[in-house]
Amino acid sequence: MPPKKQVEEKPGAWSLGKFSRSLKVGLVGMPNVGKSTLYNSLSKSHHAAAENFPFCTIEPNETRAFMPDARFDWLVEQHKPKSEVQPYLQVVDIAGLVSGASTGAGLGNAFLSHIKAVDGIIHVMRAFEDDDVIHAEDTVDPVRDITTITSELRIKDLEFMKSKLEQHMKIRSAEATKTPQAKKAWENNLESMEKIVAFLEEGKDARLGMDIWTSHDIDLLNDLQLLTAKPVLFAINLNFADYKRKKNKFLKPIFEWVQANAPDSAIIPYCGGFEMELADLDGEATAEKLKEVEVNSALPKMIQSAFKMVHLILFYTAGPDEVRAWIIRKGFKAPQAAGVIHTDFEAGFICAEVMAFDELKEHGTELAMKAAGRYRQEGKTYVVQDGDVIFYKFNPTGGKKK
């Protein structure tokens, strides 16, 4: 009886992107839509020059936006440690883009290279009218703006892919004369490249092809790091009155555009001016202000959504000395996650002693988890889950004999 044909497992969206230990999101938008103001609010600092003229951000600023996390807070409350290291998201403020950026208009080339260096994009969209804040296109039209930006990114990707395809064709003869395997690899890459080019030429972003990309296509896309393969989130900058009432004439067209062009992507309305006001207050004053105006800050949701967007998850180490949230890419196995703590942990990995956070919270203590049989040992093939509380055992010599 012939062996059953293996069915290739369909990759999920989490498989698109680099498996790095240091992932970043970039704030992207037209000039003067509120990127630097949002960046300053996220970082609670004022080192991005939020000036009222185009291209005030030239070199990309980078900050850590600390992420609210109830699980971390619970572990801190339980252990009352000497040190706390809370989770954060790396955020980059990127120069404003204008129509023609793909051909170098404005700060186009620098802008596009800075986007290439991040792993996810927060599209900042201006949805308020204010004669005192100039707009690069003179009028406020967020759908026009986002159409311009996504078109420029796709044009650049298409230009890049055609160049790669041209280079690939030049090595055809050389690869064909090496080995049958080399020839087959060249043919597989050609098939994937032509497929990606055709998809982009249809006016579609690379990340929207998850239903047709094969594992080989995914591997190639991850090597190429296309701009339109990056996950996206839409931050809609409103005036305070519209933010409070959750209504605005621009919101419905934005929603319809996102549904058509970036389905399943988060849309988060916020008020840049209000968030900057909150950034200047301490914790107690912030709570009082929110109670007074009867609205909440949109930033916690924005940070958490962006964190998940680039497929990051958290695991924790917890004890009386330190409670720490460790940031890893979804899909990391136990030894890879150990390497985030220290390379020696990965090299000398023995096992991971794991507790699922929800179960730990339910049972209350490590001792109770052990008594319930829920404190478990996992080996090298274990894929770390979001919220795992882990104690690693490792060989300090890296498993090598002296």
Side-chain angles (χ1 to χ4, degrees), residues 17 70 103 163 183 211-213 237 259 263 269 287 299 314 334 353 355 400:
T103 57
S163 173
K183 183 182 178 184
D211 58 334
I212 65 166
W213 302 140
N237 192 4
Q259 291 301 107
L299 297 194
L314 298 172
E353 297 185 346
M355 296 179 287
K400 296 176 184 177

Side-chain angles (χ1 to χ4, degrees), residues 136-318:
E137 301 288 341
D138 293 329
T139 57
V140 175
D141 184 345
V143 170
R144 176 201 59 208
D145 293 350
I146 193 63
T147 302
T148 296
I149 288 174
T150 52
S151 296
E152 292 295 334
L153 300 185
R154 202 179 309 113
I155 290 167
K156 199 66 179 179
D157 274 353
L158 196 50
E159 178 188 301
F160 175 75
M161 282 305 304
K162 287 182 176 179
S163 173
K164 282 287 182 185
L165 193 53
E166 190 178 318
Q167 292 169 27
H168 191 66
M169 295 305 293
K170 288 179 181 177
I171 61 169
R172 180 177 189 171
S173 299
E175 294 301 303
T177 56
K178 285 182 182 177
T179 63
Q181 292 86 352
K183 183 182 178 184
K184 182 64 177 173
W186 183 91
E187 290 171 348
N188 288 340
N189 284 338
L190 176 64
E191 183 181 349
S192 290
M193 284 182 177
E194 289 179 337
K195 186 176 175 182
I196 293 166
V197 167
F199 195 80
L200 292 170
E201 284 181 331
E202 290 174 7
K204 299 175 185 175
D205 292 347
R207 69 178 172 281
L208 301 179
M210 294 308 296
D211 58 334
I212 65 166
W213 302 140
T214 64
S215 293
H216 185 271
D217 297 337
I218 295 284
D219 289 341
L220 185 62
L221 282 165
N222 288 345
D223 285 340
L224 296 168
Q225 290 292 297
L226 296 185
L227 303 174
T228 63
K230 300 179 189 297
V232 295
L233 178 156
F234 299 88
I236 317 302
N237 192 4
L238 307 172
N239 63 39
F240 182 73
D242 289 347
Y243 175 62
K244 186 172 182 178
R245 68 192 184 106
K246 296 180 172 57
K247 288 183 179 179
N248 176 289
K249 68 179 182 180
F250 299 115
L251 287 177
K252 188 172 184 286
I254 291 171
F255 176 79
E256 291 171 349
W257 187 94
V258 172
Q259 291 301 107
N261 296 277
D264 301 323
S265 296
I267 302 172
I268 301 179
Y270 77 103
C271 173
F274 176 62
E275 298 295 350
M276 273 301 290
E277 187 179 343
L278 294 180
D280 290 330
L281 305 176
D282 61 24
E284 189 176 327
T286 297
E288 288 177 4
K289 182 68 176 178
L290 294 177
K291 186 177 179 181
E292 175 195 332
V293 298
E294 298 180 324
V295 295
N296 291 318
S297 167
L299 297 194
K301 182 180 179 182
M302 194 182 297
I303 295 168
Q304 289 166 337
S305 298
F307 194 86
K308 291 175 183 175
M309 173 182 78
V310 289
H311 313 300
L312 293 174
I313 63 171
L314 298 172
F315 75 92
Y316 306 91
T317 51

